[in-house]
Amino acid sequence: MIPSDAPGTCLVLEKVSKHFGGLRAVDGVTLEIRAGERRAIIGPNGAGKTTLFNLITGEFPVTAGRIWFFGQEITHLPPHRRAALGIGRTFQITNLFPKLTVLENVLLAVQGLRPTKYVMHRPIWGYPELQQQARHLIERVGLWEKRDLPLTNLSYGEQRQVEVLLALAGGPKLLLLDEPTAGLSPGETRVIVEIIRSLDPTITVLLIEHDMDVAFEVADRITVLHFGRVLAEGTKAEIKANREVQNIYLGAGTGS
Amino acid sequence: MRNGAWIRNVTVAGGVVVLLFLPHLIPAYYTHLLILTFIYGLMAMSLDLLMGYTGLTSFGHAAYFGAAAYAVGILTTRYHVHFSVAMLGGLIVAFMMALIFGLMATRATEVYFLIITLALGMGVWGLAYRWVSVTGGDNGLPGIPPPDLGLPWSLSDPVNMYYFVLTFFTLACFFLSRFVHSPFGLSLRGIRESESRMRVLGYHTWLHKYTVFVIAGTFSGLGGVLYAFYNRFVSPADVHITASAEAVLMVILGGAGTLFGPVLGAGLVVFLRNLISAYTRRWLLILGVTYVLVVMYAPGGVIGAMKGTFSRLRAKMIPTPVPGGHPQKVKLQRENPDEEVLTR
Ligand SMILES: Nc1ncnc2c1ncn2[C@@H]1O[C@H](COP(=O)(O)OP(=O)(O)OP(=O)(O)O)[C@@H](O)[C@H]1O
Ligand SMILES: [Mg+2]
């Protein structure tokens, strides 16, 4: 039985594990994400959330288990092939091109899935459609005036916005967001949350989030990871009511 | 941007005109040094594609230069082929070598890349030194004839040779500057800044690194081809690790990631070496000291230092402009419909 054959299923993980030496960072995780679903993944530090993302994008090979994306097995595909299928991600620790300008950062993302990226004999400014799309994305977060600044000159909050822009540029079907609001002020967090909420509803979103308010606001369903295993999965209400979850994660006062 | 392009075009055109007249204005000895600057400049620019643009420091870049030079030497002195065939042969040898060595080197990153390229370069030197029947061993390959263009001008005249080398140098500059500003060139800088991000954006990063490795090797080979014709003698010293280290110094001295900076670096190394060798034989020591001084005090090289001075001067003269702050564009941005979605 391969559950991924069900229509409308975006991502399926079957008993996926990742061991680092003796450490079982991800330990037999089985997940099924519907197309268009907004799923939050929560869990304490070191639960294996980021590692799980790295397995989905192909950054690490799995130790065991299989992964399907829209019915196609991707367990052994390299990261760039998975990106081409429509998997985009952001990083928990900002991972951009610091010395390149904002525009160049976004251009790299825009051309990432196009054959244009192999062109060697024409200058990049000779591609109006690339420039146009990059401009559209940058304007979306109001950074167009700063397009020619090196990325390092942006504030941390602005860099986190660019982090999301790069993941959106390729028009992903599945978007993996690894703590996109970590370290942001409430105002900056709103900007990111609104970007996520304004996404095309057909895009499937997997969100790792420590901020419970954000997780509950954005997600339809929630998966709780603990020591590399799925501890609980359900709707917001189910998760809030779950005793085990309250004990290990939410703590007192959050279950209101 | 338009304004910048205009200034750049005028500068380039002016530079070319100066270079065209230069050999008639300066002593023959300096013409000789300029020819060497163009030749080593090709090696340095091609190395900059790896070092400055892609972030891969190769310590064996003289191998492709030397292999191409040897190929020209062998083809002309032993098989007496036409110079165009020898040139093509030299380029193909450098290309093939980069194709094979690249498979081994580009799998590795950072210091491992450096070590592998170093080892491969030393292998090539060993071959040049030991394979006496083909390379002439320690004696090298003397007597390489200058190209016979079939024209009234002989290339044994250094001034004519100057124009011959300048032609290829200019063409290479043109192609390389198109190359670094292309989408592919941008992808290399992306790999330098964050390879893991590039992968999830859909780039097959290894393929990009391998491709630029082969291109860099081939352009280094073009330098080697011209070197063989100009110097008329190739020896193991041309593929020695010292030659590779000099290439690295040229890039750092001129400014990594600036393409033309390394040509300046090549000029500095060529002039330094020739001026200093009149006084001392401790060239290696001076090479090392220069290297350390540049890394410590001018990590951006000559170009980096010039840019720094220039922007400081400009900051003094003009009040700080808002970056990209053209009034109309600010307005456009405010009218952007997406803004409403975000501030809903
Ligand atoms: N490349 C690696 N090599 C070795 N161990 C690793 C590696 N990456 C992660 N780990 C370990 O795997 C475990 C899970 O790490 P992971 O980063 O997935 O946790 P996380 O749930 O994302 O935590 P956080 O909330 O702190 O981001 C941790 O114990 C971590 O130290
Ligand atoms: Mg994490």
Side-chain angles (χ1 to χ4, degrees):
Chain A
M1 179 214 67
I2 298 170
S4 59
D5 282 351
T9 307
C10 170
L11 181 74
V12 174
L13 275 68
E14 190 187 74
K15 298 205 186 88
V16 167
S17 295
K18 179 67 191 179
H19 301 174
F20 294 112
L23 176 76
R24 299 177 168 205
V26 172
D27 191 12
V29 166
T30 296
L31 270 185
E32 188 171 333
I33 317 281
R34 276 182 300 102
E37 187 174 336
R38 305 290 151 103
R39 174 80 63 101
I41 297 183
I42 63 174
N45 290 111
K49 306 181 294 294
T50 298
T51 304
L52 191 68
F53 270 20
N54 285 331
L55 297 177
I56 297 170
T57 61
E59 191 64 21
F60 299 150
V62 298
T63 306
R66 302 169 78 180
I67 305 172
W68 285 269
F69 183 61
F70 285 107
Q72 176 183 356
E73 180 165 6
I74 59 166
T75 318
H76 302 293
L77 285 189
H80 67 272
R81 297 274 305 279
R82 300 191 199 196
L85 290 176
I87 300 180
R89 80 169 284 182
T90 69
F91 291 82
Q92 179 175 0
I93 298 165
T94 307
N95 185 355
L96 299 165
F97 311 109
K99 285 190 192 151
L100 306 189
T101 66
V102 175
L103 182 59
E104 286 170 332
N105 268 266
V106 177
L107 278 174
L108 274 173
V110 168
Q111 69 173 20
L113 298 180
R114 298 170 180 235
T116 315
K117 67 186 168 188
Y118 295 115
V119 171
M120 300 178 186
H121 63 281
R122 268 177 69 182
I124 188 148
W125 51 82
Y127 290 89
E129 72 281 7
L130 292 187
Q131 305 282 341
Q132 204 52 45
Q133 202 192 331
R135 176 173 186 164
H136 190 77
L137 280 161
I138 297 171
E139 281 177 341
R140 198 162 162 172
V141 293
L143 287 174
W144 182 246
E145 285 170 74
K146 300 191 175 179
R147 66 190 177 280
D148 289 329
L149 289 184
L151 190 101
T152 37
N153 289 22
L154 262 53
S155 73
Y156 175 72
E158 290 168 335
Q159 293 192 22
R160 293 305 286 177
Q161 293 173 10
V162 176
E163 182 77 35
V164 177
L165 285 193
L166 295 207
L168 288 176
K173 294 186 191 131
L174 170 64
L175 181 61
L176 308 174
L177 301 168
D178 196 346
E179 300 195 27
T181 68
L184 296 184
S185 70
E188 291 167 335
T189 300
R190 284 320 302 166
V191 177
I192 300 279
V193 170
E194 290 308 330
I195 295 177
I196 302 171
R197 288 172 50 129
S198 67
L199 290 175
D200 180 336
T202 60
I203 299 179
T204 310
V205 178
L206 260 182
L207 170 78
I208 297 176
E209 192 49 79
H210 270 300
D211 184 332
M212 282 309 117
D213 296 333
V214 172
F216 288 146
E217 179 176 354
V218 172
D220 314 320
R221 287 175 72 79
I222 291 170
T223 297
V224 185
L225 222 56
H226 189 42
F227 288 127
R229 292 166 172 272
V230 176
L231 183 84
E233 185 185 315
T235 61
K236 296 166 205 175
E238 286 165 356
I239 294 300
K240 279 184 186 174
N242 186 311
R243 264 280 170 71
E244 260 182 311
V245 175
Q246 284 173 4
N247 283 344
I248 66 120
Y249 193 65
L250 296 173
T254 329
S256 60
Chain B
M1 176 154 266
R2 290 243 167 247
N3 212 6
W6 186 80
I7 294 172
R8 203 182 55 222
N9 289 345
V10 170
T11 315
V12 168
V16 170
V17 170
V18 170
L19 287 178
L20 278 177
F21 287 105
L22 214 48
H24 301 287
L25 306 173
I26 56 177
Y29 180 62
Y30 289 103
T31 304
H32 162 68
L33 295 186
L34 273 178
I35 295 173
L36 287 179
T37 298
F38 296 149
I39 286 170
Y40 287 115
L42 279 170
M43 172 157 71
M45 275 195 292
S46 64
L47 178 58
D48 194 27
L49 297 183
L50 296 176
M51 273 180 72
Y53 286 88
T54 320
L56 295 169
T57 301
S58 165
F59 246 92
H61 209 54
Y64 314 94
F65 183 93
Y70 266 104
V72 168
I74 292 163
L75 285 171
T76 52
T77 58
R78 204 150 302 158
Y79 300 100
H80 310 288
V81 300
H82 190 254
F83 85 90
S84 58
V85 177
M87 284 192 87
L88 199 65
L91 289 179
I92 290 173
V93 165
F95 173 79
M96 296 295 284
M97 203 159 109
L99 216 54
I100 295 163
F101 286 5
L103 283 180
M104 299 177 232
T106 52
R107 293 276 169 202
T109 52
E110 292 171 20
V111 72
Y112 298 100
F113 177 84
L114 193 149
I115 291 168
I116 291 174
T117 50
L118 178 70
L120 291 170
M122 285 170 79
V124 171
W125 175 79
L127 209 61
Y129 193 69
R130 299 277 164 149
W131 199 7
V132 180
S133 60
V134 174
T135 64
D138 206 13
N139 295 327
L141 284 177
I144 300 168
D148 181 5
L149 301 180
L151 295 169
W153 313 296
S154 160
L155 288 188
S156 42
D157 178 350
V159 173
N160 292 341
M161 194 60 178
Y162 174 94
Y163 290 115
F164 183 75
V165 172
L166 181 63
T167 306
F168 286 99
F169 175 77
T170 314
L171 282 175
C173 283
F174 175 75
F175 284 118
L176 290 177
S177 81
R178 299 276 293 195
F179 176 78
V180 299
H181 292 115
S182 68
F184 189 85
L186 181 61
S187 81
L188 299 178
R189 291 191 287 148
I191 290 171
R192 177 191 73 198
E193 297 288 303
S194 171
E195 189 168 350
S196 60
R197 169 61 91 169
M198 288 295 279
R199 278 197 292 266
V200 301
L201 288 178
Y203 292 87
H204 188 1
T205 54
W206 174 79
L207 187 63
H208 290 238
K209 291 195 284 186
Y210 183 57
T211 306
V212 72
F213 191 91
V214 174
I215 291 173
T218 310
F219 273 92
S220 188
L222 176 61
V225 165
L226 296 173
Y227 176 78
F229 280 128
Y230 178 58
N231 200 45
R232 302 202 205 157
F233 171 63
V234 188
S235 76
D238 298 322
V239 288
H240 193 254
I241 167 176
T242 317
S244 288
E246 277 181 27
V248 171
L249 180 66
M250 291 168 188
V251 173
I252 292 178
L253 202 57
T258 60
L259 195 60
F260 295 116
V263 179
L264 288 183
L268 283 171
V269 170
V270 165
F271 275 74
L272 265 180
R273 185 175 52 194
N274 282 276
L275 296 180
I276 286 170
S277 63
Y279 304 105
T280 169
R281 305 196 60 184
R282 298 191 192 281
W283 168 237
L284 266 184
L285 183 71
I286 291 172
L287 198 73
V289 171
T290 319
Y291 189 97
V292 171
L293 287 179
V294 171
V295 169
M296 280 174 64
Y297 295 107
V302 175
I303 294 278
M306 281 185 348
K307 270 188 187 159
T309 316
F310 184 67
S311 58
R312 269 195 301 277
L313 276 181
R314 204 169 55 171
K316 265 186 201 162
M317 289 181 338
I318 315 168
T320 340
V322 179
H326 309 294
Q328 298 142 314
K329 292 193 174 152
V330 177
K331 200 159 150 247
L332 254 182
Q333 189 254 318
R334 256 194 251 110
E335 281 166 1
N336 169 26
D338 280 332
E339 196 92 295
E340 281 164 30
V341 180
L342 296 181
T343 49
R344 171 176 56 181

